[in-house]
Amino acid sequence: MTPLIAPSILAADFSNLQREVEMLNSSVADYIHVDIMDGVFVPNISFGIPVTEAIRRFAKKPMDVHLMIVNPDNYLEAFRNAGAEVISVHYEACTHLHRTLQTIKHLGAKAGVAINPHTPVELLTDVINDIDMVCLMSVNPGFGGQKFIEHTYSKISRLKDLILARGAKTKIEIDGGVTIENASKLMAAGADVLVAGSFVFNSPDPVRTISQLKSVE
Ligand code: DX5
Ligand code: ZN
């Protein structure tokens, strides 16, 4: 199956955001992955709502917004209004995850749940039919450019089994340390969407790198 590719704007040149977004528009990317970090849920701060709006002003690809923040419920509407088509909240940051997912859907967005490397996929069993996309973290969230955690492959297989067993339509997104080296193996394990930040933006020809990722089997 052909992967859906979601380049992470976190690795872009923020002083030329318009140019970077236009580069993504001209590529075969399927989404723009937007990483929101609050310095509390993760030990880093990225950017927030005004920058997300600025990306939307030029983006011709849907924005997949990954909220690495505490109390995400307080900001769902703001990110939806800023143009998010997919909103992913962290399992570890949600006390009432089912309610949060319903809120995202009522706002008209697709509902995603991100899980940290230490969180078992089985914890999603009772909400899997309510989730449009699971974002499996293959690094500890907070920074781009980290090393891929190998244990992710078995989590993908287990999550895929869970989705099939429950007759769900949930997509599996892999976030962190994705490169052309591991992309095929991730797809073979059952991934649907590949996020790639530094591998795309640090390459000499990002448009070509996105095409390479898109053509893995
Ligand atoms: C990590 C972020 C990722 C990150 C991926 O906290 O959620 O989306 O931007 O960056 P790379 O592809 O460089 O690991
Ligand atoms: Zn992310």
Side-chain angles (χ1 to χ4, degrees):
M1 238 191 50
T2 313
L4 297 169
I5 306 298
S8 168
I9 203 81
L10 185 68
D13 176 357
F14 291 165
S15 64
N16 283 293
L17 212 42
Q18 179 180 350
R19 191 193 65 198
E20 298 283 55
V21 172
E22 285 168 352
M23 178 279 288
L24 295 177
N25 288 343
S26 74
S27 77
V28 295
D30 297 279
Y31 295 101
I32 300 177
H33 186 83
V34 179
D35 285 308
I36 308 296
M37 304 178 181
D38 67 352
V40 180
F41 182 73
V42 286
N44 195 13
I45 298 174
S46 57
F47 50 80
I49 295 152
V51 173
T52 306
E53 281 167 349
I55 296 167
R56 189 259 298 265
R57 223 170 296 139
F58 300 102
K60 294 200 167 70
K61 313 272 181 177
M63 282 193 293
D64 157 32
V65 174
H66 176 192
L67 297 180
M68 286 164 274
I69 64 175
V70 296
N71 300 323
D73 300 77
N74 296 349
Y75 302 97
L76 297 174
E77 194 170 354
F79 280 104
R80 176 62 179 150
N81 290 340
E85 307 248 343
V86 183
I87 300 177
S88 295
V89 293
H90 263 266
Y91 174 86
E92 301 83 4
C94 293
T95 311
H96 303 287
L97 181 60
H98 181 268
R99 179 188 289 153
T100 302
L101 294 171
Q102 306 315 316
T103 306
I104 296 172
K105 289 183 185 182
H106 283 139
L107 291 167
K110 295 238 189 293
V113 178
I115 63 170
N116 280 337
H118 73 274
T119 301
V121 298
E122 289 74 17
L123 289 174
L124 300 177
T125 303
D126 288 301
V127 278
I128 197 71
N129 295 88
D130 300 294
I131 305 175
D132 295 304
M133 187 155 88
V134 172
C135 177
L136 271 187
M137 293 308 302
S138 39
V139 297
N140 285 292
F143 302 92
Q146 301 182 84
K147 194 175 171 313
F148 178 84
I149 297 172
E150 296 289 319
H151 176 56
T152 308
Y153 295 113
S154 74
K155 290 182 80 171
I156 300 173
S157 311
R158 279 155 47 213
L159 179 57
K160 190 78 184 175
D161 289 347
L162 171 60
I163 291 167
L164 293 174
R166 295 274 166 155
K169 299 201 162 51
T170 318
K171 285 194 172 11
I172 302 177
E173 177 179 60
I174 310 303
D175 189 6
V178 172
T179 69
I180 200 72
E181 307 295 324
N182 55 22
S184 307
K185 197 169 165 191
L186 291 167
M187 293 307 293
D192 302 293
V193 185
L194 303 178
V195 175
S198 48
F199 183 69
V200 165
F201 285 94
N202 295 348
S203 74
D205 186 347
V207 171
R208 187 159 170 268
T209 303
I210 294 167
S211 300
Q212 282 175 340
L213 286 170
K214 183 80 185 166
S215 55
V216 301
E217 281 168 21

